[in-house]
Coordinates of all heavy atoms in Angstrom, one line a residue:
M1 N -5.1 -6.9 26.4 CA -5.6 -8.2 26.1 C -5.1 -8.7 24.7 O -5.1 -7.9 23.7 CB -7.1 -8.1 26.1 CG -7.8 -9.5 26.0 SD -9.6 -9.4 26.1 CE -10.0 -9.2 24.4
T2 N -4.7 -10.0 24.6 CA -4.2 -10.5 23.3 C -5.4 -10.9 22.4 O -6.3 -11.6 22.9 CB -3.4 -11.8 23.6 OG1 -2.3 -11.4 24.5 CG2 -2.7 -12.3 22.3
V3 N -5.3 -10.4 21.2 CA -6.4 -10.7 20.3 C -5.9 -11.9 19.4 O -4.9 -11.9 18.8 CB -6.6 -9.5 19.3 CG1 -7.7 -9.8 18.3 CG2 -7.0 -8.3 20.1
I4 N -6.7 -13.0 19.5 CA -6.5 -14.2 18.7 C -7.2 -14.1 17.4 O -8.4 -13.9 17.4 CB -6.9 -15.4 19.5 CG1 -6.3 -15.5 20.9 CG2 -6.6 -16.7 18.7 CD1 -4.8 -15.7 20.9
I5 N -6.4 -14.3 16.3 CA -7.0 -14.2 15.0 C -7.1 -15.7 14.4 O -6.0 -16.3 14.4 CB -6.1 -13.4 14.0 CG1 -5.7 -12.1 14.6 CG2 -6.8 -13.2 12.7 CD1 -6.7 -11.0 14.7
K6 N -8.2 -16.1 14.1 CA -8.4 -17.5 13.5 C -8.8 -17.4 12.0 O -9.7 -16.7 11.7 CB -9.5 -18.3 14.3 CG -9.1 -18.5 15.7 CD -10.2 -19.2 16.5 CE -9.8 -19.4 17.9 NZ -10.8 -20.0 18.8
I7 N -8.1 -18.1 11.2 CA -8.3 -18.1 9.8 C -8.3 -19.5 9.2 O -7.5 -20.4 9.6 CB -7.1 -17.4 9.1 CG1 -6.9 -16.0 9.7 CG2 -7.2 -17.3 7.6 CD1 -5.6 -15.3 9.2
E8 N -9.3 -19.8 8.4 CA -9.3 -21.0 7.7 C -8.8 -20.8 6.3 O -9.1 -19.9 5.6 CB -10.8 -21.6 7.5 CG -10.8 -22.9 6.8 CD -12.2 -23.5 6.8 OE1 -13.2 -22.9 7.3 OE2 -12.3 -24.6 6.2
V9 N -7.9 -21.7 5.9 CA -7.2 -21.6 4.6 C -7.3 -22.8 3.8 O -7.0 -23.9 4.3 CB -5.6 -21.3 4.8 CG1 -4.9 -21.0 3.5 CG2 -5.4 -20.1 5.8
I10 N -7.8 -22.7 2.6 CA -7.8 -23.8 1.6 C -6.5 -23.7 0.8 O -6.2 -22.6 0.1 CB -9.0 -23.8 0.7 CG1 -10.3 -23.6 1.5 CG2 -9.0 -25.0 -0.2 CD1 -10.6 -24.7 2.4
Y11 N -5.6 -24.7 0.9 CA -4.4 -24.6 0.2 C -4.1 -26.0 -0.4 O -4.1 -27.0 0.3 CB -3.2 -24.3 1.1 CG -1.8 -24.3 0.5 CD1 -1.5 -23.5 -0.6 CD2 -0.9 -25.2 1.0 CE1 -0.2 -23.6 -1.1 CE2 0.4 -25.2 0.5 CZ 0.7 -24.4 -0.6 OH 1.9 -24.5 -1.2
D12 N -3.9 -26.1 -1.7 CA -3.6 -27.3 -2.4 C -4.7 -28.3 -2.2 O -4.5 -29.5 -2.0 CB -2.3 -27.9 -1.9 CG -1.4 -28.2 -3.0 OD1 -1.7 -27.8 -4.2 OD2 -0.3 -28.8 -2.8
G13 N -6.0 -27.9 -2.1 CA -7.1 -28.8 -1.9 C -7.4 -29.2 -0.5 O -8.4 -29.9 -0.2
N14 N -6.6 -28.8 0.4 CA -6.8 -29.2 1.8 C -7.2 -27.9 2.7 O -6.8 -26.8 2.3 CB -5.5 -29.8 2.4 CG -5.1 -31.1 1.7 OD1 -5.9 -31.9 1.6 ND2 -3.9 -31.1 1.3
S15 N -7.8 -28.2 3.8 CA -8.3 -27.1 4.6 C -7.4 -27.1 5.9 O -7.1 -28.1 6.5 CB -9.7 -27.4 5.0 OG -10.2 -26.4 5.8
Y16 N -7.0 -25.9 6.2 CA -6.1 -25.7 7.4 C -6.7 -24.6 8.3 O -7.3 -23.6 7.8 CB -4.7 -25.3 7.0 CG -4.0 -26.2 6.1 CD1 -4.2 -26.2 4.7 CD2 -3.2 -27.2 6.6 CE1 -3.5 -27.1 3.9 CE2 -2.5 -28.1 5.8 CZ -2.7 -28.1 4.4 OH -2.1 -29.0 3.6
F17 N -6.5 -24.8 9.6 CA -7.0 -23.7 10.5 C -5.8 -23.1 11.1 O -5.0 -23.8 11.8 CB -7.9 -24.3 11.5 CG -9.3 -24.7 10.9 CD1 -9.4 -26.0 10.5 CD2 -10.3 -23.8 10.8 CE1 -10.6 -26.4 9.9 CE2 -11.5 -24.2 10.2 CZ -11.7 -25.5 9.8
L18 N -5.5 -21.8 10.9 CA -4.4 -21.1 11.4 C -4.9 -20.2 12.6 O -6.0 -19.6 12.5 CB -3.7 -20.3 10.4 CG -3.2 -21.1 9.1 CD1 -2.5 -20.1 8.2 CD2 -2.3 -22.2 9.5
Q19 N -4.0 -20.1 13.5 CA -4.3 -19.2 14.6 C -3.1 -18.4 15.0 O -2.0 -18.9 15.0 CB -4.7 -20.1 15.8 CG -5.2 -19.3 17.0 CD -5.9 -20.2 18.1 OE1 -6.8 -21.0 17.7 NE2 -5.4 -20.2 19.3
T20 N -3.3 -17.1 15.1 CA -2.2 -16.2 15.4 C -2.7 -15.1 16.3 O -3.8 -15.0 16.6 CB -1.5 -15.7 14.1 OG1 -0.3 -15.0 14.4 CG2 -2.4 -14.8 13.3
T21 N -1.8 -14.2 16.5 CA -2.2 -13.0 17.3 C -2.0 -11.7 16.4 O -1.3 -11.8 15.4 CB -1.3 -12.8 18.6 OG1 0.1 -12.8 18.2 CG2 -1.6 -13.9 19.6
K22 N -2.7 -10.7 16.8 CA -2.7 -9.5 16.0 C -1.3 -9.0 15.8 O -0.5 -8.9 16.8 CB -3.5 -8.4 16.8 CG -3.7 -7.1 16.1 CD -4.5 -6.2 16.9 CE -4.7 -4.8 16.3 NZ -5.5 -3.9 17.0
H23 N -0.9 -8.7 14.6 CA 0.4 -8.2 14.2 C 1.6 -9.1 14.5 O 2.7 -8.6 14.6 CB 0.6 -6.8 14.8 CG -0.4 -5.8 14.4 ND1 -0.9 -5.6 13.1 CD2 -1.2 -4.9 15.1 CE1 -1.8 -4.7 13.0 NE2 -2.0 -4.2 14.2
A24 N 1.3 -10.4 14.7 CA 2.4 -11.3 14.9 C 3.2 -11.5 13.6 O 4.4 -11.8 13.7 CB 1.9 -12.7 15.4
Y25 N 2.6 -11.2 12.5 CA 3.3 -11.2 11.2 C 3.1 -9.9 10.5 O 2.1 -9.2 10.8 CB 2.7 -12.3 10.3 CG 2.9 -13.7 10.9 CD1 2.0 -14.3 11.8 CD2 4.0 -14.4 10.6 CE1 2.2 -15.6 12.3 CE2 4.3 -15.7 11.1 CZ 3.3 -16.2 11.9 OH 3.6 -17.5 12.5
A26 N 4.0 -9.5 9.7 CA 4.0 -8.2 9.0 C 2.7 -8.1 8.2 O 2.1 -7.0 8.0 CB 5.2 -8.0 8.1
N27 N 2.3 -9.2 7.6 CA 1.0 -9.2 6.8 C 0.6 -10.7 6.6 O 1.3 -11.6 7.0 CB 1.2 -8.5 5.4 CG 2.4 -9.1 4.7 OD1 2.5 -10.2 4.4 ND2 3.4 -8.2 4.3
L28 N -0.5 -10.9 5.9 CA -1.1 -12.2 5.7 C -0.2 -13.1 4.8 O -0.1 -14.3 5.0 CB -2.5 -12.1 5.1 CG -3.2 -13.4 4.8 CD1 -3.4 -14.2 6.1 CD2 -4.6 -13.2 4.2
M29 N 0.5 -12.5 3.9 CA 1.5 -13.3 3.0 C 2.5 -13.9 3.9 O 2.9 -15.1 3.7 CB 2.1 -12.4 2.0 CG 3.1 -13.0 1.0 SD 4.8 -13.1 1.7 CE 5.3 -11.4 1.6
V30 N 3.1 -13.2 4.8 CA 4.2 -13.7 5.7 C 3.6 -14.8 6.5 O 4.3 -15.9 6.7 CB 4.8 -12.6 6.5 CG1 5.9 -13.2 7.4 CG2 5.4 -11.5 5.6
L31 N 2.4 -14.7 7.0 CA 1.8 -15.8 7.8 C 1.7 -17.0 7.0 O 2.1 -18.1 7.4 CB 0.5 -15.3 8.4 CG -0.4 -16.4 9.0 CD1 0.2 -17.0 10.2 CD2 -1.8 -15.8 9.3
L32 N 1.1 -16.9 5.8 CA 0.9 -18.1 4.9 C 2.2 -18.7 4.5 O 2.4 -19.9 4.5 CB 0.1 -17.7 3.7 CG -1.4 -17.2 4.0 CD1 -2.0 -16.6 2.8 CD2 -2.2 -18.4 4.6
L33 N 3.2 -17.9 4.2 CA 4.5 -18.4 3.8 C 5.2 -19.1 4.9 O 5.8 -20.2 4.8 CB 5.4 -17.2 3.4 CG 6.8 -17.5 2.8 CD1 6.7 -18.4 1.6 CD2 7.5 -16.2 2.5
N34 N 5.1 -18.6 6.1 CA 5.7 -19.3 7.3 C 5.0 -20.6 7.7 O 5.6 -21.5 8.1 CB 5.6 -18.4 8.5 CG 6.8 -17.4 8.5 OD1 7.4 -17.1 7.5 ND2 7.0 -16.8 9.7
E35 N 3.7 -20.6 7.5 CA 2.9 -21.7 8.0 C 2.5 -22.8 7.0 O 2.3 -23.9 7.3 CB 1.6 -21.2 8.7 CG 1.8 -20.3 9.8 CD 2.5 -21.0 11.0 OE1 2.2 -22.2 11.2 OE2 3.2 -20.3 11.8
L36 N 2.4 -22.4 5.7 CA 1.8 -23.3 4.7 C 2.5 -23.4 3.4 O 2.7 -24.5 2.9 CB 0.3 -22.9 4.4 CG -0.8 -23.3 5.4 CD1 -2.1 -22.7 4.9 CD2 -0.8 -24.8 5.5
T37 N 2.7 -22.3 2.7 CA 2.9 -22.3 1.3 C 4.4 -22.5 1.0 O 5.3 -22.5 1.9 CB 2.5 -20.9 0.7 OG1 3.3 -19.9 1.3 CG2 1.1 -20.6 0.9
D38 N 4.7 -22.8 -0.3 CA 6.1 -22.9 -0.7 C 6.8 -21.6 -0.9 O 6.1 -20.5 -0.8 CB 6.3 -23.8 -1.9 CG 5.6 -23.3 -3.1 OD1 5.6 -22.0 -3.2 OD2 5.0 -24.0 -3.9
E39 N 8.1 -21.6 -1.2 CA 8.8 -20.4 -1.2 C 8.5 -19.5 -2.4 O 9.0 -18.3 -2.4 CB 10.3 -20.6 -1.1 CG 11.0 -21.3 -2.3 CD 10.9 -22.8 -2.2 OE1 10.2 -23.4 -1.3 OE2 11.5 -23.5 -3.0
D40 N 7.8 -20.0 -3.4 CA 7.4 -19.2 -4.5 C 6.3 -18.2 -4.2 O 6.0 -17.3 -4.9 CB 6.9 -20.0 -5.7 CG 8.1 -20.9 -6.2 OD1 9.2 -20.5 -6.1 OD2 7.8 -21.9 -6.8
F41 N 5.7 -18.4 -3.0 CA 4.6 -17.5 -2.6 C 5.2 -16.2 -2.0 O 6.1 -16.3 -1.2 CB 3.8 -18.2 -1.5 CG 2.5 -17.6 -1.1 CD1 1.4 -17.6 -2.0 CD2 2.4 -16.9 0.1 CE1 0.2 -17.0 -1.6 CE2 1.2 -16.3 0.4 CZ 0.1 -16.3 -0.4
G42 N 4.8 -15.1 -2.5 CA 5.4 -13.9 -2.0 C 6.7 -13.5 -2.6 O 7.6 -13.1 -1.8
D43 N 6.9 -13.6 -3.8 CA 8.2 -13.5 -4.5 C 8.8 -12.1 -4.3 O 10.0 -11.9 -4.1 CB 8.0 -13.7 -6.0 CG 9.3 -14.2 -6.6 OD1 10.1 -14.8 -6.0 OD2 9.5 -13.8 -7.8
C44 N 8.0 -11.0 -4.3 CA 8.5 -9.7 -4.2 C 8.6 -9.2 -2.7 O 8.9 -8.1 -2.4 CB 7.7 -8.7 -5.0 SG 6.1 -8.2 -4.3
K45 N 8.4 -10.2 -1.8 CA 8.5 -9.9 -0.3 C 7.6 -8.9 0.2 O 7.9 -8.2 1.2 CB 10.0 -9.5 0.0 CG 11.0 -10.5 -0.5 CD 11.0 -11.8 0.2 CE 12.1 -12.7 -0.3 NZ 11.6 -14.0 -0.8
G46 N 6.4 -8.7 -0.5 CA 5.4 -7.9 0.1 C 5.3 -6.5 -0.5 O 4.7 -5.6 0.0
M47 N 6.0 -6.3 -1.7 CA 5.9 -5.0 -2.3 C 4.6 -4.8 -3.1 O 4.4 -3.7 -3.6 CB 7.1 -4.8 -3.3 CG 8.5 -4.9 -2.6 SD 8.7 -3.5 -1.5 CE 8.9 -2.2 -2.7
G48 N 3.8 -5.8 -3.3 CA 2.6 -5.7 -4.0 C 2.8 -5.7 -5.5 O 1.9 -5.2 -6.2
K49 N 3.9 -6.2 -6.0 CA 4.2 -6.1 -7.4 C 4.3 -7.4 -8.2 O 4.1 -7.4 -9.4 CB 5.6 -5.4 -7.6 CG 5.5 -3.9 -7.1 CD 6.7 -3.2 -7.4 CE 6.6 -1.7 -7.2 NZ 7.8 -0.9 -7.4
C50 N 4.5 -8.5 -7.5 CA 4.7 -9.8 -8.2 C 3.4 -10.6 -8.5 O 3.4 -11.4 -9.4 CB 5.7 -10.7 -7.4 SG 5.1 -11.3 -5.9
G51 N 2.5 -10.4 -7.7 CA 1.2 -11.1 -7.9 C 1.2 -12.6 -7.5 O 0.4 -13.4 -7.9
T52 N 2.3 -13.0 -6.8 CA 2.4 -14.5 -6.4 C 1.7 -14.8 -5.1 O 1.7 -16.0 -4.7 CB 3.8 -14.9 -6.3 OG1 4.5 -14.2 -5.3 CG2 4.6 -14.7 -7.7
C53 N 1.1 -13.8 -4.5 CA 0.5 -14.1 -3.2 C -1.0 -13.9 -3.2 O -1.6 -13.5 -2.3 CB 1.1 -13.1 -2.1 SG 0.7 -11.4 -2.4
L54 N -1.6 -14.3 -4.4 CA -3.0 -14.1 -4.6 C -3.8 -15.0 -3.6 O -3.5 -16.2 -3.5 CB -3.4 -14.5 -6.0 CG -3.2 -13.5 -7.1 CD1 -3.7 -14.1 -8.4 CD2 -3.9 -12.2 -6.8
I55 N -4.8 -14.5 -3.1 CA -5.8 -15.3 -2.3 C -7.2 -14.9 -2.7 O -7.5 -13.8 -3.2 CB -5.7 -15.1 -0.8 CG1 -5.9 -13.6 -0.4 CG2 -4.3 -15.6 -0.3 CD1 -6.5 -13.4 0.9
E56 N -8.1 -15.8 -2.5 CA -9.6 -15.5 -2.7 C -10.2 -15.6 -1.3 O -10.0 -16.6 -0.6 CB -10.2 -16.6 -3.6 CG -11.7 -16.4 -3.8 CD -12.3 -17.4 -4.7 OE1 -11.6 -18.5 -5.0 OE2 -13.4 -17.2 -5.2
I57 N -11.0 -14.6 -1.0 CA -11.7 -14.5 0.2 C -13.0 -15.2 0.0 O -13.8 -14.8 -0.8 CB -11.9 -13.1 0.7 CG1 -10.5 -12.4 0.9 CG2 -12.7 -13.1 2.0 CD1 -10.6 -10.9 1.3
L58 N -13.2 -16.4 0.7 CA -14.4 -17.2 0.5 C -15.5 -16.9 1.4 O -16.7 -16.9 1.1 CB -14.1 -18.7 0.6 CG -13.0 -19.2 -0.3 CD1 -12.6 -20.6 0.0 CD2 -13.4 -19.1 -1.8
E59 N -15.2 -16.6 2.7 CA -16.2 -16.2 3.7 C -15.6 -15.2 4.6 O -14.4 -15.2 4.8 CB -16.5 -17.5 4.5 CG -17.4 -18.5 3.8 CD -17.6 -19.7 4.7 OE1 -17.4 -19.7 5.9 OE2 -17.9 -20.8 4.1
G60 N -16.4 -14.4 5.2 CA -16.0 -13.4 6.2 C -15.9 -12.1 5.5 O -16.7 -11.8 4.6
N61 N -15.0 -11.3 5.9 CA -14.8 -10.0 5.5 C -14.3 -9.9 4.0 O -13.1 -9.9 3.8 CB -13.9 -9.2 6.4 CG -14.0 -7.7 6.2 OD1 -14.6 -7.3 5.3 ND2 -13.4 -7.0 7.1
D62 N -15.2 -9.9 3.0 CA -14.7 -9.9 1.6 C -14.6 -8.4 1.1 O -14.5 -8.2 -0.1 CB -15.6 -10.7 0.7 CG -17.0 -10.2 0.6 OD1 -17.3 -9.2 1.3 OD2 -17.7 -10.8 -0.2
D63 N -14.7 -7.5 2.0 CA -14.7 -6.1 1.5 C -13.6 -5.3 2.2 O -13.8 -4.2 2.6 CB -16.1 -5.5 1.8 CG -16.2 -4.2 1.0 OD1 -15.6 -4.0 0.0 OD2 -17.0 -3.3 1.5
L64 N -12.5 -6.0 2.4 CA -11.3 -5.3 3.0 C -10.8 -4.2 2.0 O -10.5 -4.5 0.9 CB -10.2 -6.3 3.3 CG -10.6 -7.4 4.3 CD1 -9.6 -8.6 4.2 CD2 -10.7 -6.8 5.7
E65 N -10.7 -3.1 2.5 CA -10.3 -1.9 1.7 C -8.9 -2.1 1.1 O -8.0 -2.4 1.8 CB -10.4 -0.6 2.6 CG -10.4 0.6 1.8 CD -10.5 1.8 2.7 OE1 -11.0 1.7 3.8 OE2 -10.0 2.9 2.3
R66 N -8.8 -1.7 -0.2 CA -7.5 -1.7 -0.8 C -6.9 -0.4 -0.5 O -7.4 0.7 -0.9 CB -7.6 -1.9 -2.3 CG -8.0 -3.3 -2.7 CD -8.0 -3.5 -4.2 NE -8.6 -4.8 -4.5 CZ -9.0 -5.2 -5.7 NH1 -8.9 -4.4 -6.7 NH2 -9.5 -6.4 -5.8
Q67 N -5.7 -0.4 0.0 CA -5.0 0.8 0.4 C -3.8 1.1 -0.4 O -3.2 2.2 -0.2 CB -4.7 0.8 1.9 CG -5.9 0.7 2.8 CD -5.6 0.3 4.2 OE1 -4.5 0.1 4.6 NE2 -6.6 0.3 5.0
D68 N -3.4 0.1 -1.1 CA -2.1 0.3 -1.8 C -2.2 0.3 -3.3 O -2.9 -0.5 -3.9 CB -1.2 -1.0 -1.4 CG 0.1 -0.9 -2.0 OD1 1.0 -0.2 -1.4 OD2 0.3 -1.5 -3.1
R69 N -1.6 1.3 -3.9 CA -1.7 1.5 -5.3 C -1.0 0.4 -6.1 O -1.4 0.1 -7.2 CB -1.2 2.9 -5.8 CG -2.2 4.0 -5.3 CD -1.7 5.4 -5.6 NE -1.6 5.5 -7.1 CZ -1.0 6.5 -7.7 NH1 -0.5 7.5 -7.0 NH2 -1.0 6.6 -9.0
N70 N 0.0 -0.2 -5.5 CA 0.7 -1.3 -6.2 C -0.3 -2.4 -6.4 O -0.2 -3.1 -7.4 CB 1.9 -1.7 -5.4 CG 3.1 -0.8 -5.5 OD1 3.1 0.1 -6.4 ND2 4.0 -0.9 -4.6
E71 N -1.1 -2.7 -5.3 CA -2.0 -3.8 -5.4 C -3.0 -3.5 -6.6 O -3.3 -4.4 -7.4 CB -2.8 -4.0 -4.1 CG -3.8 -5.1 -4.2 CD -4.4 -5.5 -2.9 OE1 -4.5 -4.6 -2.0 OE2 -4.8 -6.7 -2.8
E72 N -3.6 -2.3 -6.6 CA -4.5 -2.0 -7.7 C -3.8 -2.3 -9.1 O -4.4 -2.9 -10.0 CB -4.9 -0.5 -7.6 CG -5.7 -0.2 -6.4 CD -7.1 -0.7 -6.4 OE1 -7.6 -1.2 -7.5 OE2 -7.8 -0.7 -5.4
T73 N -2.6 -1.8 -9.2 CA -1.9 -1.9 -10.5 C -1.6 -3.3 -10.8 O -1.9 -3.8 -12.0 CB -0.6 -1.1 -10.4 OG1 -0.9 0.2 -10.0 CG2 0.1 -1.1 -11.7
T74 N -1.1 -4.1 -9.9 CA -0.8 -5.5 -10.1 C -2.0 -6.3 -10.4 O -2.0 -7.1 -11.4 CB -0.1 -6.1 -8.8 OG1 1.1 -5.4 -8.6 CG2 0.2 -7.6 -9.0
L75 N -3.1 -6.1 -9.7 CA -4.3 -6.9 -10.0 C -4.9 -6.5 -11.4 O -5.4 -7.3 -12.1 CB -5.4 -6.7 -8.9 CG -5.0 -7.3 -7.5 CD1 -6.1 -6.9 -6.5 CD2 -4.8 -8.8 -7.6
S76 N -4.8 -5.2 -11.7 CA -5.4 -4.8 -13.0 C -4.5 -5.3 -14.1 O -5.0 -5.8 -15.1 CB -5.6 -3.3 -13.0 OG -4.7 -2.7 -13.8
K77 N -3.2 -5.4 -13.9 CA -2.3 -6.0 -15.0 C -2.7 -7.5 -15.1 O -2.5 -8.0 -16.2 CB -0.9 -5.9 -14.6 CG -0.2 -4.6 -14.9 CD 1.3 -4.7 -14.6 CE 1.9 -3.3 -14.5 NZ 3.2 -3.3 -13.8
M78 N -3.1 -8.2 -14.1 CA -3.5 -9.6 -14.1 C -4.9 -9.7 -14.6 O -5.4 -10.9 -14.6 CB -3.2 -10.2 -12.7 CG -1.8 -10.2 -12.3 SD -1.6 -10.7 -10.6 CE -1.5 -12.5 -10.8
K79 N -5.6 -8.6 -14.9 CA -7.0 -8.6 -15.3 C -7.9 -9.2 -14.3 O -8.8 -9.9 -14.6 CB -7.1 -9.3 -16.7 CG -6.2 -8.7 -17.7 CD -6.7 -9.1 -19.1 CE -5.7 -8.6 -20.2 NZ -5.1 -7.3 -20.0
I80 N -7.6 -8.9 -13.0 CA -8.5 -9.4 -11.9 C -9.2 -8.2 -11.4 O -8.6 -7.2 -11.0 CB -7.6 -10.0 -10.8 CG1 -6.9 -11.3 -11.3 CG2 -8.4 -10.2 -9.5 CD1 -5.9 -11.8 -10.3
N81 N -10.6 -8.3 -11.4 CA -11.3 -7.2 -10.9 C -12.4 -7.6 -9.9 O -13.2 -6.8 -9.5 CB -12.0 -6.4 -12.1 CG -12.9 -7.3 -12.9 OD1 -13.2 -8.4 -12.5 ND2 -13.2 -6.9 -14.1
Q82 N -12.3 -8.8 -9.4 CA -13.2 -9.2 -8.3 C -12.6 -8.7 -7.0 O -11.4 -8.9 -6.7 CB -13.2 -10.8 -8.2 CG -13.8 -11.4 -9.4 CD -13.2 -12.8 -9.7 OE1 -12.2 -12.9 -10.5 NE2 -13.6 -13.8 -9.0
S83 N -13.5 -8.1 -6.2 CA -13.1 -7.5 -5.0 C -12.6 -8.5 -3.9 O -11.9 -8.2 -3.0 CB -14.1 -6.6 -4.4 OG -15.3 -7.4 -4.0
N84 N -13.0 -9.8 -4.1 CA -12.6 -10.8 -3.1 C -11.3 -11.5 -3.5 O -10.9 -12.5 -2.8 CB -13.8 -11.8 -2.9 CG -14.0 -12.7 -4.1 OD1 -13.8 -12.2 -5.2 ND2 -14.5 -13.9 -3.9
I85 N -10.7 -11.1 -4.5 CA -9.4 -11.6 -4.8 C -8.3 -10.5 -4.5 O -8.4 -9.4 -5.0 CB -9.2 -12.1 -6.3 CG1 -10.2 -13.3 -6.5 CG2 -7.8 -12.5 -6.6 CD1 -10.1 -13.9 -7.8
R86 N -7.4 -10.9 -3.6 CA -6.5 -9.9 -3.1 C -5.0 -10.4 -3.1 O -4.8 -11.6 -3.2 CB -6.9 -9.6 -1.6 CG -8.3 -9.0 -1.5 CD -8.4 -7.6 -2.1 NE -7.4 -6.7 -1.5 CZ -7.6 -6.0 -0.4 NH1 -8.7 -6.0 0.2 NH2 -6.6 -5.2 0.0
L87 N -4.1 -9.5 -2.9 CA -2.7 -9.8 -2.6 C -2.6 -10.0 -1.1 O -2.9 -9.0 -0.3 CB -1.8 -8.7 -3.1 CG -1.9 -8.4 -4.6 CD1 -1.0 -7.2 -4.9 CD2 -1.4 -9.6 -5.4
A88 N -2.2 -11.2 -0.7 CA -2.1 -11.4 0.8 C -1.1 -10.5 1.5 O -1.3 -10.1 2.6 CB -1.7 -12.9 1.0
C89 N -0.2 -10.0 0.7 CA 0.9 -9.1 1.3 C 0.3 -7.7 1.7 O 0.9 -7.0 2.4 CB 2.1 -9.0 0.4 SG 1.8 -8.1 -1.1
Q90 N -0.9 -7.4 1.1 CA -1.5 -6.1 1.4 C -2.5 -6.2 2.5 O -3.2 -5.2 2.7 CB -2.0 -5.5 0.1 CG -1.0 -5.4 -0.9 CD 0.2 -4.5 -0.5 OE1 0.1 -3.5 0.1 NE2 1.4 -5.1 -0.7
L91 N -2.6 -7.3 3.2 CA -3.6 -7.5 4.2 C -2.9 -7.6 5.6 O -2.1 -8.5 5.8 CB -4.5 -8.7 4.0 CG -5.3 -8.6 2.7 CD1 -6.1 -9.9 2.4 CD2 -6.4 -7.5 2.8
L92 N -3.2 -6.7 6.5 CA -2.6 -6.8 7.8 C -3.3 -7.9 8.6 O -4.5 -8.3 8.4 CB -2.8 -5.5 8.6 CG -2.1 -4.3 8.0 CD1 -2.5 -3.0 8.8 CD2 -0.6 -4.5 8.0
V93 N -2.5 -8.5 9.5 CA -3.0 -9.6 10.4 C -3.6 -8.9 11.6 O -2.9 -8.5 12.6 CB -1.9 -10.6 10.8 CG1 -2.5 -11.6 11.7 CG2 -1.4 -11.3 9.5
D94 N -4.9 -8.6 11.5 CA -5.6 -7.9 12.6 C -7.0 -8.3 12.7 O -7.4 -9.3 12.0 CB -5.4 -6.4 12.5 CG -6.1 -5.8 11.2 OD1 -6.9 -6.5 10.6 OD2 -5.8 -4.7 10.9
E95 N -7.8 -7.6 13.4 CA -9.2 -8.0 13.6 C -10.0 -8.2 12.3 O -11.0 -8.9 12.2 CB -10.0 -7.0 14.5 CG -9.5 -7.0 15.9 CD -8.4 -6.0 16.2 OE1 -7.8 -5.5 15.2 OE2 -8.2 -5.6 17.3
S96 N -9.6 -7.5 11.3 CA -10.3 -7.5 10.0 C -10.3 -8.9 9.4 O -11.1 -9.3 8.5 CB -9.8 -6.5 9.0 OG -8.4 -6.8 8.7
L97 N -9.3 -9.8 9.8 CA -9.2 -11.1 9.3 C -9.9 -12.2 10.2 O -9.9 -13.3 9.9 CB -7.8 -11.5 9.1 CG -6.9 -10.7 8.2 CD1 -5.5 -11.3 8.0 CD2 -7.6 -10.5 6.8
M98 N -10.5 -11.7 11.3 CA -11.1 -12.6 12.3 C -12.1 -13.5 11.6 O -13.1 -13.0 11.0 CB -11.7 -11.8 13.3 CG -12.1 -12.5 14.6 SD -10.6 -12.7 15.6 CE -10.7 -11.1 16.5
G99 N -11.9 -14.8 11.7 CA -12.9 -15.8 11.2 C -13.0 -15.9 9.7 O -13.9 -16.5 9.2
I100 N -12.1 -15.4 9.0 CA -12.1 -15.3 7.6 C -11.8 -16.7 7.0 O -11.0 -17.5 7.6 CB -11.2 -14.2 7.0 CG1 -11.6 -13.7 5.7 CG2 -9.7 -14.7 7.0 CD1 -10.9 -12.4 5.3
K101 N -12.3 -17.0 5.8 CA -12.0 -18.3 5.1 C -11.4 -17.8 3.8 O -12.1 -17.1 3.0 CB -13.2 -19.2 5.0 CG -12.9 -20.5 4.2 CD -14.1 -21.3 4.2 CE -13.9 -22.6 3.4 NZ -15.1 -23.5 3.4
I102 N -10.2 -18.3 3.5 CA -9.6 -17.9 2.2 C -9.1 -19.1 1.5 O -8.9 -20.2 2.0 CB -8.4 -16.9 2.4 CG1 -7.3 -17.6 3.3 CG2 -8.9 -15.7 3.1 CD1 -6.0 -16.8 3.4
R103 N -8.8 -18.9 0.2 CA -8.2 -20.0 -0.6 C -7.0 -19.4 -1.3 O -7.0 -18.3 -1.8 CB -9.2 -20.4 -1.7 CG -8.6 -21.5 -2.7 CD -9.7 -22.0 -3.6 NE -10.0 -21.0 -4.6 CZ -9.4 -20.8 -5.8 NH1 -8.4 -21.6 -6.1 NH2 -9.7 -19.9 -6.6
V104 N -5.9 -20.1 -1.1 CA -4.6 -19.7 -1.8 C -4.8 -20.1 -3.3 O -5.0 -21.2 -3.6 CB -3.4 -20.3 -1.2 CG1 -2.1 -20.0 -2.0 CG2 -3.2 -19.9 0.3
I105 N -4.6 -19.1 -4.2 CA -4.8 -19.3 -5.6 C -3.6 -19.8 -6.2 O -2.5 -19.3 -6.0 CB -5.3 -18.0 -6.3 CG1 -6.7 -17.6 -5.7 CG2 -5.4 -18.2 -7.8 CD1 -7.2 -16.3 -6.2
Ligands
FES201 S1 4.4 -10.6 -2.2 FE1 4.5 -9.8 -4.2 S2 2.6 -9.1 -4.6 FE2 2.4 -9.9 -2.6

């Protein structure tokens, strides 16, 4: 059965509703880059090092586990310690994003 993932995204002051399927994109950064953002988003192509793919989780699952040490290091260098601010490249497009509302920072 195909799992449909629906995400609301605030980008540049506008609200967008994106719909995709599980693992259709390598990660959330690639989805946002393909569908919405400009080419400066995701500068390091998902290595978790550039910090250009920041998102804020506004509603839904704001406790997605951080699994990547690069993300911890990058966010700490940027002095970000809120758990709802994440690197989109470190979030898989799967059920954990179902119904989530995010803002591209
Ligand atoms: S793409 Fe560089 S940190 Fe996410």
